Amino acid sequence: METGFKLSGKGLVKTYKTGDATIQVLAGATIEVSAGEMVVLLGPSGSGKTTLLHLLAGLEKPDSGSVFVNGTDIYSLSDAKRSRMRREQFGFVFQSFNLLSSMSALENVQIPLWTLGRKNARVLAEEILERVGLAHRIHHRPGQLSGGEQQRVAIARALVTQPKMVFADEPTGNLDRSSASSVMDCLVSAVRDSNAGCLLVTHNMQWAEVADRVLYLVDGRVEVERK
Amino acid sequence: MIRMIARLAWWGFTRDRLKVAFMILAVVGGMAAYAVLEPTLNHVSATSMQIWRTEAPWDISVKGTGVHSLVKSLRSISGIAAYEEAFLFDAILPRGQMTLLALKGQCEPGGGATPMLSLECVEGRAPSAQNEIALTQGLAETLGLAVGDTVSLLPMDGEGEPVPFTVSGILAAKIRVPVFPVVTREGASSVQPDLAKSECLLVALDGRVDIAKVASALRKLAPEAEVVTLEEQYKGISTGFSYADAVGSAAQVVTMIVAIAALTSLFFLGERTKSYQIGVLKAVGVPSSWLVLSSAVEGVMTLSAGCVLGWVLVTQFYSVAVPSSLPSVVPGLKDILRVLVPGGAAGILTASALVVSRPASSLLRDW
């Protein structure tokens, strides 16, 4: 297991206001993920898993608490530096695939590479799409792909830059059982091959078996941890 | 960075065709509305201001031997809307002395504008032969004359025989129709043998220029001539034009605001519909500034396409859609581009910044 990369969130609190109501989603959550480690975060719908993932990924600032990447508080960085950190070190797989509908599979996978200014973007994108079994679908747009295929494109997009950390938010939530297994196999093997850390957020207990560690989010805190 | 911004802008421009088409339509519509509005309002106000010309359809008369030769020099004086080469002379009618008018021919500086004088008759027609005369309605009633009757004119010096004229028509009591009896040039010569003394330039101003300045310029051109200004009449016209200009400017500003607001709204809605896309791009590390810039570039491309198309359509179809008497539309288009392009770009930039400034997590929830 690589020890050069460590992501940690400490005492994370997040509250949302909807009209007169105030909902505390996270109440001091603390979590740590290292490179090469597959962590599954379980919790019921609405428990704040996605919010915790967004906070850890630098997408949304916590009300209090800190997120550290290799000891650097990411919310002390400017927006531009945080964006740079995301494009260089993080990869994302969303429940709704979140592919850009006007672009082909190949273009969707090339986006992070273009953002990094990689000149061999097309070759790298083609290679990874081949690895996830979509070599024959590279010029198809998301609307022309099945849900499972779209999520494979999303996995390719997340891993094409060889990130240190992959955030996967309910990656099988919108898929049928057969596609879900196939996509999860694809994700786990791709993450293992790249030796990245991975935080997989799900309410499906079935995926606990792929984890190095399983965490539970209960009442806004990461309370239970088991090997 | 530049390549990425260009790519995103190009995709937005070429792959969201419906939004782009609507935005181009908004630009074209704004340009067309503005372009047609300006000359139309000017034309309407110029026409309606004629009602203030109660004494005569002109504002300045320049009378003297050889003043017709000054016509070419009139172009150097700004603020002259129209002019007429005519003859104004006095003669004795059965009821006493009266001023008569004879036209040399109708003409306009630059051409295309509304004629200064009209010889519209409520009965009969304008004189066309040497012995024909058109009377005003009031004079015809006073003298008890109708079309076909004869009236005699006696030269002012009282020498010579009375010259008989047949009434060819009764002039309408309308704007631009002279309030003097009208004869032909030949008819005028028969009553006034030395007609050169009666040469006259009748000048209508645009309502915005200072009448005293124009009169002064005309006096310099023709020091020997008699320059008469109808200042009281012109005061009413000037005031009317001030109001008309204010209304016209307000209408144009409203048109601009509507066009820019339409562009901004369409772009904002377009950006909102792809907020998840912006969220994904932010999540994968595309900086907000790149996203705003790419949206701005996309907006400018759309704006430019709309301007080019609008310019072509308006200039090509303007002459078909509106009367040929209206002035060219091109100066108005230049004005609209000066306002629409920076205004539209600022609106688009603001709309884009509003969307992009939202946190990625919030944008992703819009999926």
Side-chain angles (χ1 to χ4, degrees):
Chain A
M1 186 182 291
E2 188 178 310
T3 55
F5 178 87
K6 186 180 280 183
L7 170 78
S8 58
K10 290 182 179 167
L12 297 171
V13 175
K14 188 69 185 177
T15 304
Y16 291 111
K17 282 187 178 176
T18 50
D20 293 336
T22 302
I23 303 163
Q24 190 173 50
V25 182
L26 296 176
T30 295
I31 188 171
E32 198 172 289
V33 185
S34 299
E37 187 182 25
M38 172 74 74
V39 176
V40 171
L41 179 66
L42 290 168
S45 294
S47 59
K49 303 185 297 295
T50 298
T51 301
L52 179 58
L53 184 143
H54 285 173
L55 264 51
L56 292 168
L59 298 177
E60 192 171 7
K61 200 172 179 181
D63 296 336
S64 66
S66 302
V67 176
F68 298 94
V69 170
N70 293 340
T72 303
D73 182 352
I74 65 170
Y75 289 103
S76 67
L77 301 173
S78 66
D79 183 55
K81 282 184 179 169
R82 211 161 47 243
S83 293
R84 183 177 183 159
M85 187 193 67
R86 275 202 302 274
R87 65 177 175 265
E88 287 176 350
Q89 303 198 41
F90 294 171
F92 294 90
V93 181
F94 302 98
Q95 177 178 355
S96 308
F97 321 134
N98 284 11
L99 300 175
L100 306 192
S101 58
S102 58
M103 300 178 198
S104 68
L106 183 64
E107 288 167 337
N108 267 285
V109 176
Q110 282 177 284
I111 287 170
L113 296 167
W114 285 328
T115 310
L116 286 169
R118 298 273 176 84
K119 288 185 177 162
N120 56 345
R122 186 182 173 106
V123 174
L124 291 173
E126 283 176 346
E127 277 175 12
I128 198 157
L129 279 166
E130 192 176 345
R131 271 172 54 200
V132 297
L134 289 173
H136 60 300
R137 306 284 264 166
I138 59 172
H139 296 300
H140 288 78
R141 291 195 183 183
Q144 298 166 315
L145 301 173
S146 69
E149 287 172 328
Q150 287 186 56
Q151 198 60 300
R152 284 163 185 265
V153 175
I155 291 166
R157 182 181 64 187
L159 288 156
V160 72
T161 57
Q162 294 181 306
K164 299 278 193 297
M165 182 76 200
V166 175
F167 296 94
D169 185 5
E170 300 274 15
T172 58
N174 283 358
L175 301 176
D176 59 62
R177 184 180 287 266
S178 146
S179 299
S181 294
S182 156
V183 162
M184 191 55 83
D185 288 347
C186 175
L187 175 66
V188 171
S189 66
V191 168
R192 296 282 188 209
D193 288 351
S194 67
N195 200 31
C198 179
L199 177 63
L200 195 157
V201 158
T202 181
H203 65 272
N204 191 340
M205 301 282 285
Q206 180 191 347
W207 306 126
E209 64 194 39
V210 304
D212 297 318
R213 279 191 297 142
V214 178
L215 307 176
Y216 293 87
L217 190 62
V218 181
D219 296 331
R221 290 171 188 270
V222 181
E223 289 196 339
V224 184
E225 182 171 345
R226 79 179 183 205
K227 213 54 170 168
Chain B
M1 170 186 134
I2 292 170
R3 286 187 71 183
M4 183 68 188
I5 289 169
R7 271 197 180 103
L8 290 172
W10 182 246
W11 278 327
F13 183 69
T14 55
R15 299 191 183 178
D16 197 353
R17 288 177 192 159
L18 198 60
K19 183 195 85 176
V20 171
F22 276 122
M23 286 189 66
I24 288 175
L25 271 179
V27 177
V28 172
M31 286 182 76
Y34 185 98
V36 173
L37 198 63
E38 187 185 32
T40 305
L41 284 173
N42 282 341
H43 183 70
V44 168
S45 50
T47 305
S48 58
M49 286 311 125
Q50 292 285 353
I51 205 165
W52 290 94
R53 292 195 166 102
T54 50
E55 290 183 55
W58 54 84
D59 304 308
I60 301 176
S61 63
V62 185
K63 191 175 177 185
T65 305
V67 294
H68 286 174
S69 62
L70 301 176
V71 162
K72 285 179 184 169
S73 308
L74 288 183
R75 291 176 191 276
S76 64
I77 303 173
S78 62
I80 293 180
Y83 64 87
E84 193 80 51
E85 293 176 80
F87 300 93
L88 275 178
F89 63 99
D90 289 341
I92 299 169
L93 273 79
R95 284 295 175 100
Q97 181 185 334
M98 183 156 281
T99 300
L100 285 93
L101 174 74
L103 299 183
K104 186 183 174 189
Q106 290 196 331
C107 49
E108 302 297 325
T114 310
M116 192 178 96
L117 295 179
S118 159
L119 298 182
E120 187 180 335
C121 292
V122 285
E123 197 182 329
R125 55 170 175 73
S128 58
Q130 181 179 341
N131 64 340
E132 288 184 340
I133 187 169
L135 302 177
T136 62
Q137 282 177 285
L139 184 61
E141 281 170 20
T142 305
L143 298 177
L145 296 172
V147 173
D149 291 344
T150 302
V151 61
S152 293
L153 269 64
L154 193 65
M156 279 299 291
D157 56 12
E159 294 178 3
E161 295 294 314
V163 183
F165 280 83
T166 302
V167 178
S168 67
I170 308 295
L171 294 166
K174 279 188 168 179
I175 57 171
R176 300 209 314 267
V177 178
V179 291
F180 308 110
V182 177
V183 295
T184 61
R185 181 179 179 175
E186 293 73 23
S189 295
S190 65
V191 184
Q192 180 82 327
D194 191 4
L195 197 59
K197 286 181 182 172
S198 303
E199 273 186 29
C200 191
L201 273 179
L202 306 174
V203 177
L205 305 182
D206 64 7
R208 297 173 179 94
V209 72
D210 182 354
I211 190 170
K213 281 186 183 169
V214 178
S216 169
L218 288 168
R219 284 191 186 102
K220 277 184 192 164
L221 279 177
E224 304 294 321
E226 179 193 2
V227 178
V228 178
T229 56
L230 302 177
E231 289 188 21
E232 280 306 308
Q233 169 184 286
Y234 189 70
K235 208 178 283 178
I237 297 167
S238 288
T239 310
F241 262 114
S242 301
Y243 289 129
D245 284 348
V247 170
S249 300
Q252 286 173 334
V253 167
V254 168
T255 308
M256 282 282 105
I257 290 172
V258 168
I260 291 169
L263 276 176
T264 307
S265 304
L266 281 170
F267 201 82
F268 182 68
L269 291 173
E271 291 290 279
R272 283 293 300 272
T273 59
K274 60 177 188 186
S275 53
Y276 79 94
Q277 175 173 320
I278 295 169
V280 171
L281 291 169
K282 284 184 85 168
V284 300
V286 179
S288 301
S289 55
W290 295 17
L291 293 168
V292 172
L293 274 175
S294 70
S295 291
V297 172
E298 181 194 331
V300 169
M301 287 162 77
T302 310
L303 208 53
S304 307
C307 287
V308 169
L309 184 64
W311 188 287
V312 170
L313 288 177
V314 170
T315 50
Q316 293 301 308
F317 291 100
Y318 178 73
S319 57
V320 178
V322 298
S324 57
S325 60
L326 288 183
S328 166
V329 73
V330 173
L333 285 179
K334 285 178 184 164
D335 286 344
I336 191 176
L337 290 184
R338 270 196 283 271
V339 181
L340 186 67
V341 172
I348 286 167
L349 202 60
T350 308
S352 169
L354 276 173
V355 175
V356 173
S357 64
R358 289 173 58 197
S361 54
S362 157
L363 292 163
L364 289 170
R365 276 195 286 271
D366 283 358
W367 174 262

